[in-house]
Amino acid sequence: MIMALLVGLFLGFIGSIPVAGPTSVMVLKNTLEKGNSEGLDIAFGAGLAEAIYAFFAFWGLTAALVQFPGMINAARIVGALLIIVVGIYLVRYKTDSHKLKQAASADRQEHRWLRGFASAILNPTLIVTWTTVVTALHAMSLLRMHAIDAFPFALGVAVGIMGWFFLLVKLAQHFRDRMHPESLDRIVRGMGWAMIVGGAIVMSRVAFKLHFG
């Protein structure tokens, strides 16, 4: 069980490092706009959602997706569309200092984590991601595949994700006070274009695989 916890911790941390995903973009954007607590609350919700996916992947989702492989391509397509839509929103984003102050003052802390949770739980590509990870763990025999170990594995994933986002938030906060609204716009738009390109690549790969088998 300790090994499952440690492996989940490592995979959760490493798997969260790419910063072009919806959750990373939300965490960065809200940290730059509103501060540490906003970004960390969103990261907590996202970590919880990914831990749920990791738990079910470990528990037995792998078998279901092997039996119904069409679900994998469908999940990738929907996830790519989600990434592209968020990317378009960010490309069109423009900072309004007055609205930022209003949003910060009106923000309710108890609801912040729900944004991060929704961004992850509604992203079906995470089903594929964690199923692939668990399948690899099966193949390499790194862990005993007992159902009970799904609990420490999922806990490790959540802690690992939160650990990475904590570092990300600290780095973003370091530069936040030196940043003008125009600079924030450029960063957010850059992340938006990166998401659009990433989503398009995923969709093209799925289309190529479906066409050529």
Side-chain angles (χ1 to χ4, degrees), residues 24-40 42 165 168-174 176 184:
S24 295
V25 170
M26 285 182 63
V27 170
L28 279 173
K29 179 175 177 291
N30 284 278
T31 299
L32 292 171
E33 288 180 351
K34 302 174 185 178
N36 283 6
S37 59
E38 174 73 17
L40 287 175
I42 289 173
F165 282 126
L168 185 65
V169 164
K170 289 300 182 183
L171 289 172
Q173 183 67 17
H174 177 72
R176 175 175 178 263
L184 174 60

Short mmCIF file of all heavy atoms in Angstrom, two decimals, residues 24-40 42 165 168-174 176 184:
data_model
loop_
_atom_site.label_atom_id
_atom_site.label_comp_id
_atom_site.label_asym_id
_atom_site.label_seq_id
_atom_site.Cartn_x
_atom_site.Cartn_y
_atom_site.Cartn_z
N SER A 24 -4.19 23.59 -15.65
CA SER A 24 -3.02 24.43 -15.44
C SER A 24 -3.28 25.86 -15.88
O SER A 24 -2.87 26.81 -15.20
CB SER A 24 -1.82 23.87 -16.23
OG SER A 24 -1.44 22.60 -15.72
N VAL A 25 -3.97 26.01 -17.00
CA VAL A 25 -4.29 27.35 -17.48
C VAL A 25 -5.19 28.09 -16.51
O VAL A 25 -5.00 29.27 -16.20
CB VAL A 25 -4.93 27.28 -18.88
CG1 VAL A 25 -5.48 28.63 -19.31
CG2 VAL A 25 -3.91 26.79 -19.90
N MET A 26 -6.21 27.39 -15.98
CA MET A 26 -7.10 28.01 -15.01
C MET A 26 -6.36 28.43 -13.75
O MET A 26 -6.58 29.51 -13.20
CB MET A 26 -8.25 27.05 -14.65
CG MET A 26 -9.30 26.90 -15.73
SD MET A 26 -10.64 25.81 -15.19
CE MET A 26 -11.28 26.73 -13.80
N VAL A 27 -5.49 27.55 -13.28
CA VAL A 27 -4.72 27.86 -12.06
C VAL A 27 -3.83 29.07 -12.30
O VAL A 27 -3.78 30.00 -11.47
CB VAL A 27 -3.89 26.64 -11.62
CG1 VAL A 27 -2.92 27.04 -10.50
CG2 VAL A 27 -4.80 25.53 -11.14
N LEU A 28 -3.09 29.08 -13.42
CA LEU A 28 -2.21 30.21 -13.72
C LEU A 28 -2.99 31.50 -13.89
O LEU A 28 -2.62 32.55 -13.33
CB LEU A 28 -1.41 29.91 -14.99
CG LEU A 28 -0.18 29.02 -14.84
CD1 LEU A 28 0.38 28.68 -16.21
CD2 LEU A 28 0.88 29.71 -13.99
N LYS A 29 -4.05 31.45 -14.67
CA LYS A 29 -4.84 32.64 -14.95
C LYS A 29 -5.41 33.25 -13.67
O LYS A 29 -5.32 34.46 -13.43
CB LYS A 29 -5.97 32.30 -15.92
CG LYS A 29 -6.89 33.47 -16.27
CD LYS A 29 -7.89 33.02 -17.32
CE LYS A 29 -8.88 34.13 -17.64
NZ LYS A 29 -9.80 34.40 -16.51
N ASN A 30 -5.99 32.41 -12.83
CA ASN A 30 -6.61 32.93 -11.60
C ASN A 30 -5.59 33.36 -10.57
O ASN A 30 -5.84 34.29 -9.80
CB ASN A 30 -7.56 31.88 -11.02
CG ASN A 30 -8.86 31.79 -11.79
OD1 ASN A 30 -9.77 32.56 -11.59
ND2 ASN A 30 -8.93 30.85 -12.73
N THR A 31 -4.43 32.72 -10.55
CA THR A 31 -3.38 33.16 -9.65
C THR A 31 -2.86 34.52 -10.06
O THR A 31 -2.67 35.42 -9.22
CB THR A 31 -2.22 32.15 -9.63
OG1 THR A 31 -2.71 30.89 -9.17
CG2 THR A 31 -1.11 32.62 -8.71
N LEU A 32 -2.63 34.71 -11.35
CA LEU A 32 -2.13 36.00 -11.84
C LEU A 32 -3.16 37.11 -11.63
O LEU A 32 -2.80 38.25 -11.37
CB LEU A 32 -1.76 35.89 -13.32
CG LEU A 32 -0.55 35.01 -13.63
CD1 LEU A 32 -0.42 34.81 -15.14
CD2 LEU A 32 0.73 35.61 -13.06
N GLU A 33 -4.42 36.77 -11.73
CA GLU A 33 -5.48 37.78 -11.58
C GLU A 33 -5.79 38.09 -10.12
O GLU A 33 -5.94 39.24 -9.74
CB GLU A 33 -6.76 37.30 -12.27
CG GLU A 33 -6.69 37.31 -13.78
CD GLU A 33 -8.00 36.83 -14.38
OE1 GLU A 33 -8.87 36.34 -13.63
OE2 GLU A 33 -8.13 36.95 -15.60
N LYS A 34 -5.90 37.04 -9.31
CA LYS A 34 -6.50 37.22 -7.98
C LYS A 34 -5.64 36.80 -6.81
O LYS A 34 -5.96 37.08 -5.66
CB LYS A 34 -7.84 36.46 -7.92
CG LYS A 34 -8.83 36.90 -8.99
CD LYS A 34 -10.07 36.03 -8.99
CE LYS A 34 -10.99 36.41 -10.14
NZ LYS A 34 -12.19 35.54 -10.20
N GLY A 35 -4.57 36.05 -7.07
CA GLY A 35 -3.69 35.70 -5.96
C GLY A 35 -3.61 34.21 -5.68
O GLY A 35 -4.22 33.39 -6.34
N ASN A 36 -2.83 33.89 -4.64
CA ASN A 36 -2.51 32.51 -4.31
C ASN A 36 -3.72 31.65 -4.01
O ASN A 36 -3.86 30.55 -4.53
CB ASN A 36 -1.58 32.47 -3.10
CG ASN A 36 -0.16 32.81 -3.46
OD1 ASN A 36 0.13 33.19 -4.59
ND2 ASN A 36 0.73 32.70 -2.51
N SER A 37 -4.60 32.13 -3.13
CA SER A 37 -5.68 31.27 -2.64
C SER A 37 -6.61 30.86 -3.77
O SER A 37 -7.11 29.74 -3.80
CB SER A 37 -6.48 31.99 -1.54
OG SER A 37 -7.02 33.21 -2.04
N GLU A 38 -6.85 31.77 -4.72
CA GLU A 38 -7.72 31.43 -5.85
C GLU A 38 -7.16 30.27 -6.66
O GLU A 38 -7.85 29.31 -6.98
CB GLU A 38 -7.91 32.66 -6.74
CG GLU A 38 -8.68 32.41 -8.02
CD GLU A 38 -10.16 32.22 -7.78
OE1 GLU A 38 -10.63 32.59 -6.69
OE2 GLU A 38 -10.84 31.70 -8.68
N GLY A 39 -5.88 30.36 -7.01
CA GLY A 39 -5.25 29.30 -7.80
C GLY A 39 -5.19 27.99 -7.06
O GLY A 39 -5.44 26.92 -7.63
N LEU A 40 -4.87 28.02 -5.77
CA LEU A 40 -4.74 26.79 -4.99
C LEU A 40 -6.08 26.12 -4.77
O LEU A 40 -6.17 24.89 -4.77
CB LEU A 40 -4.07 27.09 -3.65
CG LEU A 40 -2.58 27.39 -3.72
CD1 LEU A 40 -2.04 27.78 -2.35
CD2 LEU A 40 -1.80 26.20 -4.27
N ILE A 42 -8.61 26.16 -6.86
CA ILE A 42 -8.93 25.52 -8.13
C ILE A 42 -8.10 24.25 -8.29
O ILE A 42 -8.58 23.21 -8.74
CB ILE A 42 -8.69 26.49 -9.29
CG1 ILE A 42 -9.77 27.58 -9.27
CG2 ILE A 42 -8.69 25.76 -10.64
CD1 ILE A 42 -9.56 28.68 -10.27
N PHE A 165 0.99 21.99 -8.34
CA PHE A 165 0.29 23.26 -8.48
C PHE A 165 0.69 24.26 -7.40
O PHE A 165 0.66 25.47 -7.63
CB PHE A 165 -1.23 23.05 -8.49
CG PHE A 165 -1.74 22.54 -9.80
CD1 PHE A 165 -2.51 21.39 -9.88
CD2 PHE A 165 -1.45 23.21 -10.98
CE1 PHE A 165 -2.98 20.93 -11.10
CE2 PHE A 165 -1.91 22.76 -12.21
CZ PHE A 165 -2.68 21.61 -12.26
N LEU A 168 3.69 25.76 -8.85
CA LEU A 168 3.30 26.61 -9.98
C LEU A 168 2.71 27.93 -9.50
O LEU A 168 3.03 29.01 -10.04
CB LEU A 168 2.28 25.86 -10.84
CG LEU A 168 1.84 26.55 -12.14
CD1 LEU A 168 3.02 26.69 -13.10
CD2 LEU A 168 0.70 25.76 -12.79
N VAL A 169 1.86 27.86 -8.48
CA VAL A 169 1.25 29.07 -7.94
C VAL A 169 2.29 29.99 -7.32
O VAL A 169 2.26 31.21 -7.50
CB VAL A 169 0.17 28.70 -6.90
CG1 VAL A 169 -0.21 29.90 -6.04
CG2 VAL A 169 -1.07 28.15 -7.60
N LYS A 170 3.25 29.42 -6.62
CA LYS A 170 4.30 30.23 -6.02
C LYS A 170 5.13 30.94 -7.08
O LYS A 170 5.49 32.12 -6.92
CB LYS A 170 5.20 29.36 -5.14
CG LYS A 170 4.54 28.88 -3.85
CD LYS A 170 4.13 30.05 -2.99
CE LYS A 170 3.51 29.59 -1.68
NZ LYS A 170 3.04 30.74 -0.86
N LEU A 171 5.44 30.24 -8.16
CA LEU A 171 6.19 30.86 -9.25
C LEU A 171 5.37 31.97 -9.91
O LEU A 171 5.89 33.05 -10.21
CB LEU A 171 6.58 29.81 -10.30
CG LEU A 171 7.65 28.81 -9.88
CD1 LEU A 171 7.79 27.71 -10.93
CD2 LEU A 171 8.99 29.51 -9.68
N ALA A 172 4.09 31.71 -10.15
CA ALA A 172 3.24 32.71 -10.78
C ALA A 172 3.09 33.93 -9.88
O ALA A 172 3.11 35.08 -10.35
CB ALA A 172 1.87 32.11 -11.09
N GLN A 173 2.94 33.70 -8.58
CA GLN A 173 2.78 34.81 -7.63
C GLN A 173 4.04 35.67 -7.58
O GLN A 173 3.97 36.89 -7.39
CB GLN A 173 2.46 34.26 -6.24
CG GLN A 173 2.21 35.33 -5.19
CD GLN A 173 0.95 36.13 -5.46
OE1 GLN A 173 0.11 35.68 -6.24
NE2 GLN A 173 0.82 37.28 -4.85
N HIS A 174 5.19 35.05 -7.79
CA HIS A 174 6.47 35.78 -7.76
C HIS A 174 6.50 36.84 -8.85
O HIS A 174 7.04 37.95 -8.65
CB HIS A 174 7.63 34.81 -7.94
CG HIS A 174 8.97 35.47 -8.00
ND1 HIS A 174 9.57 36.05 -6.89
CD2 HIS A 174 9.83 35.67 -9.04
CE1 HIS A 174 10.75 36.56 -7.24
NE2 HIS A 174 10.92 36.34 -8.54
N ARG A 176 3.67 37.96 -10.46
CA ARG A 176 2.39 38.65 -10.56
C ARG A 176 2.50 40.14 -10.22
O ARG A 176 1.95 40.99 -10.92
CB ARG A 176 1.37 37.98 -9.63
CG ARG A 176 0.02 38.69 -9.56
CD ARG A 176 -0.94 37.88 -8.71
NE ARG A 176 -2.22 38.56 -8.59
CZ ARG A 176 -2.56 39.32 -7.56
NH1 ARG A 176 -1.72 39.48 -6.54
NH2 ARG A 176 -3.73 39.90 -7.52
N LEU A 184 -0.26 40.30 -18.82
CA LEU A 184 -1.15 39.20 -18.48
C LEU A 184 -1.95 38.77 -19.69
O LEU A 184 -2.12 37.56 -19.95
CB LEU A 184 -2.09 39.60 -17.34
CG LEU A 184 -3.18 38.60 -16.96
CD1 LEU A 184 -2.57 37.28 -16.51
CD2 LEU A 184 -4.07 39.18 -15.87
#
